[in-house]
């Protein structure tokens, strides 16, 4: 992988942003390898992502950030610059259902997902062997239904101890407490097994069966304190018919869950997802 | 088109239904050209549709119905036999948006939809010229927002006068009164411009935009007194991104609305849609 | 529609292109409403499309072109600037099959496609009434199979007389002579009723049926002298099964043909399609 | 899993087949849980698949076969009856690319694919650890490019020794000799990484890139002596754009390869795929 710097920014839209940013880059000899921008006329916001060949710039990441700060300030940008060769640290959380976890582990193992996975956390022992085969530590943190607090406290500690950038709820099936959601805003990714906003909450495939829909789906989204209501990163659907019982919807749904989650996580890892309000801009 | 009889039935499932039906057909020399069946283990119901080459049977439609009645009774079937060469009479209703109406008219005009269209009813004059070019009578029945009753009464009269088998709400935008819905159970088809049950009610594309979904859809369903809650016949989706404003979702949505409605209507016209409870069995 | 200038360019990739272009725009107070760029590492080419709010610039289209010329020259750009309020002149050509023509006429009629249609040319009379209802002149230019030259000569004259920017072969079914293809490079759009490169040439649905494929498709492409081998603009597919006879593939295929052609033409009309070699960059 | 007998048959179409088959079943009290049939008017062939609750019949599999033989003979059927609780024995073959193999192993491991996998055969050592973690023997049989015959001979021996019903080429990348193809007609399943018939042969994603297609695909088919020309079981596609380099098409293609292969194999294992000539009837 060629090393690149990824500049990601959003700010109120006005004349001259692209010019200022591209001047900054080209005046230092920077070679842009990918660039995307979006002006949203309804919110009046501007979004941009630029990949710059790192070798073409005379800067370390730190110095680049310093150098860009005045421009960012003058446009009131929310922004970040990351180094494409620095993998994000991603903790995966699961319960008993293994399909999303196995899929992410495979993509990680085969270098399709560029990240580090410091550990996997689950409330059950079932998936330990699969995880450990990949050389990844496995923490089983049981949930006491009568008092879930100790579980969440231990999860929170593990996230801190492992210095995670991102947490992926790969069919984790527990509702995170508000304080955890708030601490990791836009850094916790969930896969919900329905085409949101249809069938939020429990047993969505059974809800879908009862309603008699002809397509079922999955939604990859950032977690917010309100259940299944966070910013949507990606969605995927597949066709079903009267022949499909709920358990067959569950089976077919697994494949769309895996696809939507893997795609959403990949975009997140590559800093392609910008959040504004409760919506995402995805420079895929 | 080869003339065929279409036998459509549903009944509580038990041993021997297929055998009894197929014996009946073959004992009279009937040649089956298409057959579908479905056993639903949850409801315990059995569904079947058989197409029989009419020329292979020594029966008129009337006599065939008589001959089949004892079998139907012994299995407590809901059933019907139709003649594939007898077009259904379909009234189309629209408001100002023309895309669904124009699409259906084109498919009718090019012999893709086998039916008769005795008239089109609208609450506006806008689409008269398009309809009359196709040689179809156009009734403009205005709606007085302060008192909609006269409108619905006239609509109801027109449906009766034209002896319609089926009414299609091709973006008609008015909510039919309960008594009309009840009079034409499973005979009124609506296209809703969202992926139900998401975004029922008004302005679904704006709701979809506000929620930030990544796929938008359309739902073809039978009308029941509860708004946008009837049995779903077909659904279709298309991908959108942050780049799509509500009006662009409206534009993209038109194509999925047209597809879902045309497909659903076609299946209805060919007696491929069986309703059980609030769900459909579609032998497509 | 807000009036905008669309700057579209391609050139060998090097440092500073975006900077130079965006400086040029912002130094004159230009407000960018949409921008896309692409660097192709294999060909070493750079592609860009920028929409600028026309009211924000102190230029007429002519003056803007003049002012931009030095920049374009210094980067060896192929480029153009168009005015979004100037509709392209599009001639539609068809034979007997009406679905693509009717679809484009409807989209034109309902203001979904922004263009002028100075005339429709066909080698048959069949579609005259449909075209004339839209207020568009219809030219029937018969083809003599023994000598097609007079037909093509008359077609060529009509294209010139009507000063067409673009010609759309909406199931025209004749193979244009090389000299016509060469005269209107990247300005003649065809819809081929298969998923190219599979099933080029005649009767593609029958070829698809014989091969037993499980998806059929359509391809919208620019016409080049080599049959069905020009740069692809868009493709679309739909699922089929063993139940679909060739004539049912023809029916299902119509819907994907309409979608692929309408989408491709729309992108072409909005100057979103850039051609490099035998491939397209589509800033959709 | 409820035990069922699966009766699968094809024969020249004529009056009375369904009646004879369903009488046979119901006269012995058999309860049909699923049934599909298809009459192909072009070939004049009839195809049928019936699932019968095994407990409802007073027969062993052997006796059922005996009892059905006279009916089969009288209609010149090609037919088989299988027991749904008897897993097929499936040998997986791979080379170095692991995605299809890992996907099938996962589905096997999680009981999504009902079969036995007596061994995996590869011409490389790379995938040994992954396979052995699943408790499945791994045979590495190297290929000498100068003389491939010993490789194929050993593969053939392994297939016999393990008494395989089915062989899956999960990106095996070698062309099986004609005699092996002929010995296991309709029992060797391959996944080809293109939307056949486009891009048969080597490096299909690079061929797709060069042609500039806008959708890439994968094809699951039975292997015949002619390369990539056997009966197609399933196909899947995904959208690509000018942004996708060949290696990104390879990455995106993996997901459609996995889906098409897993679906095709599942249908095969459930006796849902009937072959006639070079085409399949899939009762999905």
């Amino acid at each position: 992988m060629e090393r690149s710097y990824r500049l990601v920014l959003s700010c109120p839209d006005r004349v001259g942003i692209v010019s200022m940013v591209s001047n900054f880059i080209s005046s230092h000899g920077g070679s842009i390898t990918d660039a995307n921008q979006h002006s949203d006329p309804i919110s009046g916001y501007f979004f941009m992502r630029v990949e710059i060949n790192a070798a073409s710039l005379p800067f370390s990441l730190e110095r680049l950030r310093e150098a860009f700060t005045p421009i960012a300030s003058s446009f009131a940008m929310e922004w970040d610059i990351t180094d494409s060769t620095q993998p994000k640290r991603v903790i995966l959380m699961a319960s008993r259902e293994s399909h999303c976890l196995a899929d992410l582990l495979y993509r990680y193992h085969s270098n399709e997902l560029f990240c580090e996975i410091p550990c996997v956390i689950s409330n059950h022992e079932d998936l330990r062997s699969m995880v450990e085969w990949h050389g990844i530590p496995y923490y089983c943190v049981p949930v006491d239904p009568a008092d879930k607090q100790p579980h969440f406290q231990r999860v929170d500690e593990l996230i801190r101890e492992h210095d995670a950038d991102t947490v992926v709820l790969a069919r984790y099936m527990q509702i995170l407490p508000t304080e955890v959601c708030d601490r990791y805003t836009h850094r916790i990714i969930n896969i919900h097994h329905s085409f949101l906003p249809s069938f939020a909450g429990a047993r969505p495939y059974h809800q879908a069966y009862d309603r008699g829909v002809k397509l079922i789906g999955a939604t990859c989204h950032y977690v917010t304190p309100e259940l299944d209501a966070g910013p949507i990163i990606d969605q995927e659907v597949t066709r079903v018919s009267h022949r499909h019982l709920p358990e067959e919807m569950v089976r077919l749904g697994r494949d769309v869950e895996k696809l939507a989650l893997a795609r959403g996580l990949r975009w997140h890892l590559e800093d392609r997802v910008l959040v504004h309000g409760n919506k995402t801009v995805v420079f895929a």
Side-chain angles (χ1 to χ4, degrees), chain A residues 94-101 127 170-171 173 250 254 257:
Chain A
S95 184
R96 275 191 159 126
E97 288 255 40
S98 62
H99 57 284
C100 284
L101 183 70
L127 309 177
R171 300 297 307 270
M173 311 306 281
V250 167
R254 280 185 212 127
E257 292 169 40

Side-chain angles (χ1 to χ4, degrees), chain A residues 41-259:
Chain A
I42 292 184
S43 69
Y45 253 68
F46 176 81
F47 305 85
M48 191 174 194
R49 180 186 183 278
V50 186
E51 283 210 41
I52 311 152
N53 185 326
S56 70
L57 283 176
F59 292 129
S60 68
L61 181 61
E62 271 319 286
R63 285 284 301 115
L64 177 56
R65 282 182 177 142
E66 274 176 47
F68 189 72
T69 298
I71 294 173
S73 301
S74 69
F75 285 93
M77 293 176 180
E78 282 185 76
W79 65 290
D80 197 9
I81 306 178
T82 59
D83 178 335
S84 69
T85 62
Q86 289 295 317
K88 288 193 173 37
R89 294 174 63 78
V90 180
I91 288 181
L92 307 181
M93 297 184 67
S95 184
R96 275 191 159 126
E97 288 255 40
S98 62
H99 57 284
C100 284
L101 183 70
D103 184 71
L104 294 182
L105 290 174
Y106 174 76
R107 292 180 198 265
Y108 163 76
H109 179 72
S110 60
N111 299 314
E112 193 181 303
L113 285 177
F114 182 66
C115 62
E116 284 173 8
I117 302 181
C119 68
V120 170
I121 305 174
S122 174
N123 50 339
H124 292 283
E125 280 291 350
D126 309 44
L127 309 177
R128 180 180 293 279
S129 156
M130 173 187 286
V131 171
E132 292 184 346
W133 182 82
H134 289 88
I136 297 170
Y138 185 88
Y139 295 91
C140 178
V141 185
V143 174
D144 176 355
D147 180 10
K148 298 189 169 187
Q149 186 50 32
H151 170 83
F152 292 125
Q153 193 173 321
R154 180 66 184 129
V155 165
D156 201 7
E157 283 169 19
L158 285 169
I159 298 174
R160 290 165 196 256
E161 285 168 16
H162 288 87
D163 196 21
D165 299 295
T166 301
V167 176
V168 175
L169 308 184
R171 300 297 307 270
Y172 162 63
M173 311 306 281
Q174 300 291 323
I175 299 171
L176 289 178
T178 294
E179 62 270 22
V180 176
C181 297
D182 284 345
R183 191 170 305 125
Y184 303 100
T185 303
H186 306 157
R187 290 165 59 192
I188 307 177
I189 294 175
N190 185 46
I191 181 72
H192 183 74
H193 39 315
S194 86
F195 186 75
L196 289 174
S198 289
F199 314 131
R203 292 168 64 82
Y205 292 121
H206 290 77
Q207 293 183 55
Y209 177 83
D210 289 342
R211 180 62 186 92
V213 294
K214 300 300 187 186
L215 292 162
I216 56 170
T219 303
C220 176
H221 65 96
Y222 287 116
V223 171
T224 56
E226 189 183 347
L227 183 65
D228 297 332
I232 293 172
I233 306 172
D234 195 27
Q235 299 188 291
E236 186 64 70
V237 289
T238 195
R239 202 159 277 277
V240 292
S241 79
H242 59 270
R243 294 188 177 276
H244 296 96
L245 298 174
E247 58 262 35
E248 288 160 319
M249 291 188 176
V250 167
R251 172 173 63 79
L252 290 171
R254 280 185 212 127
D255 283 326
V256 288
E257 292 169 40
K258 290 187 292 188
L259 284 174

